[in-house]
Amino acid sequence: MKTYSEQMNRISKDELLKGLVGYGLFPEKLPPFLSSEAFYNHIESGSNLNFTAVKETGFFEYESMRNINIPRVLGIPNPFAYFNLCECLSKNWENLCQHFYENSKDWTHKISRIHIRKISENSKKIFQLDYEGTSWYWLESGHRDNLFSMNYKDFKEDGNPVSKLLIRSTYLVNADISNCFGSIYTHALSWSLVGKDIAKQERFGKWHNDIDKLSSSLKQGETHGILIGPHASSVLSEIILVAVDNELSRNYKFIRNVDDYSCYTKSHEEAERFLLDLSDALKKYGLSLNHKKTEILKLPLVSKQNWIRELNLCTQNLDEDVECTYPQLAAILDTAVNLMLIHKNSAILNYVIKILQYTKLTDSANEYFIDTLHHWILIYPYLIPLLEEYVFTQREISKQKLEEVVNDIYYMGLEKKTYEAVSYALYFAIGYDLSLSTHNYEKIEKSNDAVLLLLGYLYDKKNRVGKSVLGKYKEYAKLKAENEMDKYWIFCFEVLTTGLLKDNWKKLKKDNITFVKPEFLKKLLKNEVIEEEHSKK
């Protein structure tokens, strides 16, 4: 097993920069058509971009639906300002690793369970969990866009301390930080790194001040809150939270998954003291507990959530070499719905979709499965990002049915103003060459969503709707570039030609750099003809 600091020390400063900039600008929650790899490679090869001129910038927002049918707002920063922050973290990686070591060297077990780490290049497959601890997926070897993982657990390297923490424990305390990333005070990064008194004395010209300043520069100089989404934010949050862990570890047995704490105590009184001490430790850095999610439970408890156990029992008799029949599948899906209604957690539907991904189905079962998911996703848009990997590429589905599903997603998204759903509908339509019967430019423009606007433009470009419609996108992009470039940068940069861009954006465009993945660009083109618009002036 490797300790927390050993995991950090495995990453070189150059690898850190590449991982954060080349593969960590865009959150995984976005439709997977964007990448910053070309941007990083361009810088690495010696670009003429002027990073010193980049000061305080804004960002564009993207709403991603959570399993409770409430969106989480992600922030995607100006790439030039983001590079400056990541370069600063890289240059000071030795100091940061020392900070992580000093605050974790006395741990008896790894407290921080989910953190940035290097994924072994020799591993063929890696098991990975999401923040809810219920979803899982595989990373194939050779996929370099996940050099580091933010949501990763490897029990071989990390161990599983829970069984030992349970010994002599009578109560379990569950607690989490209220709006963790949104509440982080960037000055608190310096407080954690060198101490509050020193940080206040050394306000300028020190490495810890640089991290503070460049973190706030992503939000137009605001010192309250860091962006949810970019991988650098996970490094920033660990700077503070590992110091909180260190303080509490002297008196309590607990683990932390990002901003969720689980503490094991001998008495109810000790459980209450932990909550008080955790609250006090967080206050030192401007953070607070989410009291709605705080609970003290009497032990023992089952080792897994009941619904996971029930679903596993439901599917354990499935044979990978024998087709699952309609009645068998219906029973499994009905069980999942029943558990979801009991626990009020649509992550249960997420889980069952994933555990069935390699199950062979009879024709009738396959049809029922597709129809059921068609029904589910219109009620729980949280499930839509699963469709391509776990359904469209795994199941027999006609183009007619696929078009019906995608059109319903598009219409539902517009009706409910769930623009993530509309974005995915356009992404699917482009990727699978589908027609959207209700699509038009005016509906897309009203969203004020940069990702949706770009996908709308790419869809219309693929379908050759005519210069008049594409001209509307370009005029809108030109307007936004003049007044709100940071808020719409991904849309403006990709749509506008070199002559309509300024400064670093102009240089980047002139060098034919794009943030759209090459394989997705190919899907836009009919008759395999590549249109080189990025070089036009």
Side-chain angles (χ1 to χ4, degrees):
M1 292 189 295
K2 289 183 171 59
T3 67
Y4 180 80
S5 63
E6 285 173 342
Q7 290 280 13
M8 299 296 186
N9 285 323
R10 290 178 66 193
I11 305 168
S12 72
K13 64 179 184 179
D14 292 336
E15 289 173 328
L16 182 79
L17 184 63
K18 181 178 181 180
L20 296 182
V21 177
Y23 310 107
L25 174 63
F26 298 108
E28 288 80 4
K29 296 293 184 180
L30 270 67
F33 76 107
L34 297 173
S35 170
S36 52
E37 184 177 5
F39 174 67
Y40 170 79
N41 291 337
H42 184 57
I43 298 170
E44 188 70 8
S45 64
S47 69
N48 63 343
L49 299 172
N50 183 5
F51 289 98
T52 58
V54 180
K55 303 301 179 184
E56 296 173 354
T57 65
F59 58 95
F60 73 81
E61 293 184 343
Y62 178 84
E63 291 191 349
S64 179
M65 193 63 67
R66 294 183 288 173
N67 64 317
I68 54 175
N69 259 13
I70 296 175
R72 174 184 283 115
V73 180
L74 307 177
I76 296 82
N78 173 299
F80 310 109
Y82 181 70
F83 174 81
N84 284 341
L85 170 62
C86 296
E87 184 181 45
C88 181
L89 293 173
S90 173
K91 287 180 177 178
N92 295 289
W93 187 234
E94 185 176 342
N95 290 330
L96 291 172
C97 284
Q98 184 63 29
H99 170 75
F100 293 133
Y101 169 73
E102 292 295 335
N103 282 282
S104 64
K105 64 182 180 181
D106 296 325
W107 291 355
T108 57
H109 61 278
K110 184 180 285 188
I111 292 175
S112 179
R113 309 299 299 170
I114 300 174
H115 59 82
I116 186 173
R117 69 178 73 210
K118 186 175 182 179
I119 294 178
S120 172
E121 295 180 32
N122 297 322
S123 297
K124 291 186 177 180
K125 289 185 177 181
I126 297 171
F127 189 72
Q128 187 156 355
L129 296 171
D130 70 8
Y131 282 149
E132 282 103 32
T134 57
S135 302
W136 52 271
Y137 55 95
W138 299 102
L139 293 178
E140 300 288 348
S141 62
H143 287 197
R144 302 302 295 160
D145 34 336
N146 281 292
L147 181 63
F148 309 116
S149 174
M150 302 301 160
N151 314 331
Y152 174 67
K153 294 179 180 179
D154 183 342
F155 293 110
K156 288 184 178 179
E157 289 200 351
D158 297 340
N160 184 6
V162 172
S163 60
K164 289 183 171 53
L165 296 179
L166 281 167
I167 298 173
R168 304 184 189 88
S169 296
T170 310
Y171 290 88
L172 167 64
V173 188
N174 289 321
D176 79 355
I177 301 171
S178 179
N179 186 27
C180 181
F181 280 29
S183 299
I184 286 178
Y185 188 41
T186 62
H187 293 337
L189 295 166
S190 291
W191 301 349
S192 176
L193 289 168
V194 297
K196 196 169 186 178
D197 292 338
I198 295 176
K200 288 192 172 185
Q201 292 171 10
E202 300 177 344
R203 292 180 180 273
F204 306 101
K206 300 293 183 179
W207 68 278
H208 51 88
N209 299 130
D210 292 338
I211 294 175
D212 170 5
K213 183 178 180 180
L214 292 172
S215 298
S216 66
S217 72
L218 303 187
K219 295 185 66 180
Q220 295 181 319
E222 294 181 14
T223 56
H224 281 90
I226 60 174
L227 300 179
I228 300 174
H231 287 186
S233 293
S234 294
V235 179
L236 299 178
S237 66
E238 282 295 293
I239 290 173
I240 292 174
L241 297 182
V242 74
V244 174
D245 294 341
N246 187 36
E247 181 176 339
L248 294 170
S249 65
R250 300 162 193 163
N251 299 307
Y252 300 102
K253 301 185 298 181
F254 67 99
I255 57 173
R256 172 175 59 83
N257 290 296
V258 189
D259 59 352
D260 294 323
Y261 293 84
S262 297
C263 181
Y264 300 83
T265 67
K266 294 179 180 178
S267 66
H268 196 279
E269 292 74 15
E270 184 185 359
E272 291 176 328
R273 286 198 304 274
F274 171 76
L275 289 173
L276 291 173
D277 288 345
L278 174 58
S279 181
D280 288 342
L282 292 172
K283 284 178 183 177
K284 293 177 182 178
Y285 300 100
L287 300 172
S288 61
L289 281 178
N290 182 349
H291 294 289
K292 291 181 179 180
K293 292 187 177 180
T294 298
E295 58 182 356
I296 299 175
L297 304 173
K298 184 78 167 63
L299 295 172
L301 298 171
V302 291
S303 60
K304 289 185 178 181
Q305 296 183 55
N306 286 328
W307 63 263
I308 296 178
R309 179 165 50 89
E310 288 191 44
L311 281 176
N312 287 341
L313 286 172
C314 212
T315 59
Q316 67 179 358
N317 292 325
L318 292 176
D319 189 329
E320 62 179 19
D321 296 322
V322 179
E323 290 181 331
C324 176
T325 64
Y326 172 91
Q328 287 177 303
L329 180 66
I332 293 169
L333 298 184
D334 285 348
T335 299
V337 171
N338 185 51
L339 291 169
M340 184 270 298
L341 294 173
I342 292 171
H343 295 278
K344 298 179 180 179
N345 185 356
S346 63
I348 296 170
L349 304 184
N350 175 314
Y351 185 81
V352 77
I353 291 170
K354 291 181 176 181
I355 62 176
L356 288 172
Q357 66 171 315
Y358 297 121
T359 301
K360 294 179 181 179
L361 304 177
T362 63
D363 290 343
S364 59
N366 184 70
E367 183 179 358
Y368 179 72
F369 184 67
I370 299 300
D371 287 341
T372 300
L373 294 193
H374 188 177
H375 167 59
W376 285 359
I377 60 177
L378 299 179
I379 301 174
Y380 302 103
Y382 159 75
L383 302 173
I384 292 173
L386 303 178
L387 289 178
E388 183 168 42
E389 183 175 359
Y390 298 100
V391 184
F392 295 167
T393 59
Q394 299 287 342
R395 302 295 172 197
E396 289 292 329
I397 178 170
S398 68
K399 186 172 182 179
Q400 180 182 357
K401 179 61 178 179
L402 189 57
E403 205 158 58
E404 179 187 347
V405 171
V406 172
N407 270 277
D408 280 350
I409 292 172
Y410 184 93
Y411 181 79
M412 176 276 295
L414 284 179
E415 186 179 47
K416 296 182 178 180
K417 295 185 178 181
T418 305
Y419 296 126
E420 178 182 38
V422 187
S423 295
Y424 266 96
L426 286 162
Y427 168 77
F428 294 144
I430 293 169
Y432 295 92
D433 197 23
L434 307 174
S435 176
L436 296 172
S437 59
T438 57
H439 170 71
N440 64 58
Y441 166 77
E442 284 71 21
K443 293 177 181 179
I444 299 301
E445 182 188 313
K446 292 177 182 178
S447 70
N448 292 317
D449 184 297
V451 172
L452 177 52
L453 282 161
L454 175 56
L455 283 166
Y457 170 77
L458 295 176
Y459 172 82
D460 283 336
K461 182 181 176 183
K462 174 183 174 71
N463 289 279
R464 303 186 186 281
V465 296
K467 292 183 179 180
S468 61
V469 175
L470 294 181
K472 291 180 180 180
Y473 283 102
K474 292 181 179 180
E475 284 300 316
Y476 193 63
K478 183 179 177 182
L479 176 65
K480 293 303 180 184
E482 292 173 355
N483 303 299
E484 301 176 279
M485 182 64 182
D486 288 336
K487 188 176 179 181
Y488 292 87
W489 70 261
I490 191 63
F491 169 62
C492 296
F493 175 73
E494 296 295 341
V495 169
L496 295 178
T497 53
T498 307
L500 297 174
L501 295 167
K502 300 176 182 178
D503 304 323
N504 282 330
W505 297 113
K506 186 183 187 77
K507 295 176 182 177
L508 205 61
K509 192 78 170 191
K510 190 174 182 179
D511 290 332
N512 296 321
I513 302 303
T514 175
F515 290 94
V516 180
K517 291 181 178 179
E519 58 268 29
F520 192 75
L521 283 174
K522 291 179 181 178
K523 294 179 180 179
L524 300 172
L525 311 173
K526 293 184 177 180
N527 302 321
E528 299 183 356
V529 176
I530 299 178
E531 299 177 14
E532 296 288 355
E533 284 207 353
H534 289 89
S535 61
K536 290 182 181 179
K537 296 185 179 180

